[in-house]
Amino acid sequence: MMSKALAVILLLAMAIQVIRPLNLPGLRHRRDFWKIAVFAIALMMLTVLIRP
C-alpha cells in the first residue's frame, strides 16, 4: 500500500514539474523532471530491498 501511494505522489510531482517547475534546488527548470524519476526509481528499489 505504501509503495503504491509513494508511486502516485512521485508521479504527481513529475507532472507538476513539467507543467510548472517546483523551484526547489535542482528543480528550477521543466526539463529537470527526470531527477524526480531517478529519485523515484532509487526509492522504490530501496523499499523492495527493505521488504522481508
Side-chain angles (χ1 to χ4, degrees), residues 4-24:
K4 289 180 184 179
L6 184 63
V8 170
I9 290 170
L10 290 170
L11 281 172
L12 286 173
M14 285 189 290
I16 291 170
Q17 177 69 24
V18 170
I19 295 169
R20 183 171 181 220
L22 298 172
N23 283 330
L24 296 172

Side-chain angles (χ1 to χ4, degrees), residues 21 26 29 34 36:
H29 305 285
W34 68 268
I36 300 172

